[in-house]
Amino acid sequence: MALLVGSLVIVPIGRSILTSTTERHGQDTVFVGLDNYLALVGDDQFHTGVVNSFVFTAYAEIFKVVLGLAAALLLHHRRRGRAVLAGLLLVPWVVPTVVTAFSWRALLDPIFGSVNTLLTTTGIGPLLVDLHLVDSWPAGWLSDPELAMPSVILVNVWKGVPFFTVCFLAGLKAIPSDLYEAATIDGASSWQRFANVTLPGLRHVITVTVTLSSIWTFNNFDLVWLLTQGGPGDVTAPYVLVAYSKAILQLQYGAGAAVTLVMLPIIGGLVFVLVRLLRQDSGARLPRRRRAARWVGAQQWAGPARKALPWVITAVVTGLLFWASPQIFWKAAVVLGVILLIAAAVGRVVSTLQSRGGRRSSSAVSGLGSWVALAGLLFFVLGPLYWIAVTAFKSEGQVVMRTDDLWPTPWTLEQFSALFANQPFGRWYLNTILVSAASTAVALVCAALAGYALARLRFRGAQGFTVTVLLTYVMPGALLFIPLYQMLIGARLTDSLWSLVVTYPTFTLPFATWLLVGYFSSIPIELEEAALVDGCTRLQAFGRVVLPLAKPGLLAVALFTLTNAWNEFLFAFVFITKDEYKTLPVGMQSMIAGDVVPQGQLAAASLLVSIPVVIMYALGQRFLTEGLTAGAVKG
């Protein structure tokens, strides 16, 4: 594990630092010191990329928190059908990013897209123009510079809300019910119970979830590239795309490496916060004297300064957002205001009815509001997926003429036949299976051994190595793809499946190890000690006692690593250029030639790509929940 992490993560980062001090002149590489960093000071493209990354991340996280918390509260108070609804809401997070991008590109098309058609039919589209939320109608969601960034944020929110919902739902289950009962006895209203019980109980979960999601969103490449390729102009280009353009398209590796390394302090700050939060729970297991010292140190932050800190951070972020994107700012404020006003109005009506003794009427209003909110949420979540399913079974004439949008008449397999006849789709599918299976096998074997060693064995540097594993897990691919690309060129492994098998452990192995450390720690050590007393060696006890008990954790790891490898885009996009070695996400992206978009074939491909992942999650949901829950207790 140490050798793999060192060679695939630490060495490439060190090499990236050295590369950032060089510049390519023809066939020669010249040392230029800090010139690449100094050049970024006056680089407008870099400035735009940084601002875009900040705007994209901030707005996406705000809406994911609001919608994820709302969805979690709706599901938490529902006794019947909660598991089914949670499973449906999880689907957007499960489907590959390439499927998300292509479905939304088709839905947001200004001429043929169903979004404009639906908004026009309901009269909402012209109303948006009257409210100055949209300049003209029909709207060019991804081609209008004013609407492109909000549209990309919308798609990211659609894909990220399920992750927030699942995390918040787990946090709500952990809040003791007697706190709500005590607050109710004391006369607290619904809003007071939410503000004084729910939010404090979810503070840790919210902070960890937002921090993790911020790291992923800030370094997002595949979704933006597949939706807009950074356009129109550079209005949606994040800093990762700027680094890709400089390093891969312009072959200026030094300039591209400098772009990614300049962002390293921001990512490092988020990672530091995450590590501190994840290690807070371990403070309860410290010796009493150390706990007392920490408690005294923590009290220094108590008082007005600590209470004011969140408000200061909120004010600073709000001011930066207003400065960076004033047009998006007020549009987002309007949308958020409408959502909060509706929720507050329903809550006010329910509280008023309860205070007047109308328990039955208040329950009816509350239930009706919950069902309406759930229906709207399910429509938002499942609408694009339904569009993919029905489009895949339409004839080419129905797709082009836009007839029978909601139900194919007749149903046909024409798009599937054309997909395999016109594209090497079967080869892409086989490549993806081979790469995903190989990377999953490597992750399982290495992570099981490393996770067990970190959980059971006592050796110098174990704690530091555990933190290193976590750091490499959240380290974005944006920092690694340039030096890894150079290393693969030197080893002549580009344009081969080996390039992906070798590099995919950079993100599969750290996560698998981190999860299994927590799971192995939850297995009683007395079972192994009994096996050792009976004459087993350490490896025999590991193989005959620990591994059988760790099946849920191993299955959860296999499921996560397999789907991550199945969906990966950035490395496959950079390292592979030949059609015979492309994986499904890159192959589907190459099906688009200029403005020609084979929507029917892409829908059929999206369905075939998504079905295996959805089936795996459906069959492994019980093991996934058990593995993650047991691993989270100690991890």
Side-chain angles (χ1 to χ4, degrees):
M1 177 69 180
L3 289 174
L4 286 174
V5 170
S7 60
L8 294 177
V9 178
I10 297 176
V11 170
I13 290 178
R15 179 166 182 167
S16 182
I17 295 174
L18 295 176
T19 301
S20 67
T21 62
T22 64
E23 187 174 291
R24 187 168 181 174
H25 293 167
Q27 297 296 325
D28 300 325
T29 300
V30 181
F31 177 78
V32 295
L34 299 178
D35 287 356
N36 288 321
Y37 295 94
L38 296 176
L40 295 179
V41 177
D43 191 335
D44 293 336
Q45 186 184 22
F46 171 71
H47 298 164
T48 302
V50 173
V51 172
N52 288 341
S53 295
F54 169 71
V55 170
F56 176 59
T57 302
Y59 285 114
E61 298 310 307
I62 291 171
F63 279 96
K64 280 188 276 191
V65 168
V66 173
L67 295 179
L69 184 56
L73 289 171
L74 289 172
L75 292 177
H76 181 65
H77 294 296
R78 189 157 301 281
R79 296 181 179 179
R80 295 182 179 180
R82 181 167 59 187
V84 175
L85 292 173
L88 291 175
L89 290 176
L90 193 63
V91 174
W93 188 53
V94 172
V95 297
T97 303
V98 65
V99 175
T100 299
F102 288 140
S103 60
W104 278 98
R105 276 187 63 167
L107 290 170
L108 295 175
D109 187 275
I111 300 175
F112 302 104
S114 299
V115 170
N116 278 350
T117 302
L118 177 63
L119 295 180
T120 301
T121 303
T122 57
I124 298 176
L127 179 61
L128 295 177
V129 177
D130 295 337
L131 295 175
H132 301 288
L133 294 174
V134 176
D135 293 334
S136 60
W137 195 259
W141 298 101
L142 295 175
S143 58
D144 187 342
E146 302 289 338
L147 298 175
M149 179 60 81
S151 300
V152 174
I153 293 171
L154 170 69
V155 179
N156 182 265
V157 170
W158 178 83
K159 189 166 182 62
V161 163
F163 173 71
F164 278 69
T165 302
V166 171
C167 293
F168 293 165
L169 191 59
L172 288 171
K173 292 179 181 179
I175 299 176
S177 58
D178 55 353
L179 296 179
Y180 290 102
E181 295 173 359
T184 303
I185 293 173
D186 290 340
S189 62
S190 300
W191 168 253
Q192 290 173 328
R193 291 195 299 270
F194 174 75
N196 296 298
V197 179
T198 304
L199 283 182
L202 290 177
R203 182 181 299 149
H204 183 77
V205 176
I206 291 174
T207 309
V208 172
T209 305
V210 170
T211 305
L212 262 178
S213 180
S214 297
I215 295 172
W216 298 335
T217 306
F218 191 78
N219 297 284
N220 189 286
F221 173 85
D222 47 359
L223 184 64
V224 177
W225 176 265
L226 292 169
L227 282 173
T228 64
Q229 296 188 1
D234 291 327
V235 295
T236 60
Y239 88 95
V240 184
L241 199 148
V242 175
Y244 167 80
S245 175
K246 291 181 179 294
I248 307 301
L249 300 182
Q250 303 173 22
L251 296 180
Q252 292 295 337
Y253 300 124
V259 170
T260 59
L261 290 172
V262 165
M263 294 293 102
L264 189 57
I266 297 176
I267 300 168
L270 293 173
V271 170
F272 175 77
V273 172
L274 179 63
V275 172
R276 290 292 299 270
L277 290 170
L278 292 177
R279 294 179 64 184
Q280 276 183 357
D281 293 338
S282 64
R285 299 187 292 271
L286 294 171
R288 183 176 301 176
R289 184 175 299 176
R290 292 182 62 189
R291 290 204 307 267
R294 278 197 175 183
W295 183 85
V296 172
Q299 294 309 303
Q300 296 176 358
W301 287 91
R306 187 177 183 181
K307 293 180 180 179
L309 184 61
W311 295 104
V312 172
I313 295 176
T314 302
V316 171
V317 172
T318 302
L320 289 174
L321 285 175
F322 181 78
W323 167 79
S325 56
Q327 295 178 339
I328 301 178
F329 182 85
W330 74 267
K331 293 177 182 178
V334 169
V335 175
L336 271 178
V338 170
I339 295 174
L340 295 177
L341 281 176
I342 293 175
V346 174
R348 184 66 176 174
V349 171
V350 172
S351 298
T352 302
L353 292 174
Q354 287 179 343
S355 63
R356 295 179 178 178
R359 180 173 300 178
R360 183 174 299 178
S361 57
S362 66
S363 298
V365 172
S366 178
L368 178 62
S370 298
W371 275 113
V372 170
L374 275 175
L377 190 63
L378 288 174
F379 177 78
F380 172 68
V381 167
L382 300 180
L385 303 177
Y386 176 79
W387 181 90
I388 290 175
V390 297
T391 304
F393 293 98
K394 292 180 181 179
S395 65
E396 189 63 26
Q398 294 179 60
V399 173
V400 174
M401 300 304 295
R402 299 188 68 248
T403 57
D404 304 310
D405 265 355
L406 300 179
W407 194 259
T409 307
W411 290 68
T412 176
L413 298 177
E414 175 185 330
Q415 302 299 339
F416 296 91
S417 302
L419 176 65
F420 284 93
N422 301 333
Q423 307 289 344
F425 188 78
R427 184 63 189 176
W428 298 341
Y429 219 104
L430 180 61
N431 291 341
T432 305
I433 292 175
L434 291 175
V435 172
S436 302
S439 58
T440 301
V442 171
L444 274 177
V445 173
C446 297
L449 294 171
Y452 177 78
L454 293 172
R456 286 286 191 260
L457 306 183
R458 296 293 174 262
F459 57 92
R460 183 173 297 177
Q463 185 67 27
F465 189 75
T466 305
V467 175
T468 303
V469 169
L470 175 60
L471 293 176
T472 54
Y473 166 56
V474 296
M475 198 64 67
L479 294 175
L480 300 176
F481 78 91
I482 296 175
L484 287 175
Y485 182 64
Q486 292 179 289
M487 293 171 63
L488 292 173
I489 290 177
R492 297 185 178 181
L493 286 179
T494 54
D495 279 326
S496 71
L497 296 183
W498 282 110
S499 64
L500 304 182
V501 174
V502 168
T503 56
Y504 276 10
T506 57
F507 58 87
T508 58
L509 190 54
F511 170 77
T513 305
W514 182 38
L515 183 64
L516 287 179
V517 167
Y519 196 90
F520 287 142
S521 298
S522 67
I523 297 176
I525 195 173
E526 292 79 11
L527 299 177
E528 294 172 68
E529 293 175 345
L532 294 174
V533 170
D534 290 341
C536 285
T537 64
R538 173 70 73 173
L539 283 178
Q540 288 174 332
F542 173 68
R544 298 178 181 180
V545 177
V546 177
L547 284 184
L549 294 174
K551 282 183 180 179
L554 294 172
L555 288 173
V557 166
L559 188 57
F560 265 98
T561 53
L562 187 65
T563 52
N564 283 337
W566 187 274
N567 300 339
E568 201 281 326
F569 178 80
L570 177 59
F571 286 1
F573 181 64
V574 174
F575 302 156
I576 303 294
T577 57
K578 295 181 180 179
D579 277 344
E580 59 266 31
Y581 298 119
K582 289 179 178 177
T583 56
L584 285 170
V586 181
M588 291 174 62
Q589 189 269 341
S590 67
M591 290 170 61
I592 300 177
D595 294 332
V596 179
V597 181
Q599 291 187 3
Q601 294 181 36
L602 283 173
S606 299
L607 204 61
L608 293 176
V609 170
S610 302
I611 286 176
V613 182
V614 174
I615 291 176
M616 285 189 294
Y617 268 87
L619 295 178
Q621 185 177 11
R622 179 172 63 87
F623 299 104
L624 178 64
T625 304
E626 184 178 347
L628 291 179
T629 303
V633 171
K634 298 289 184 180

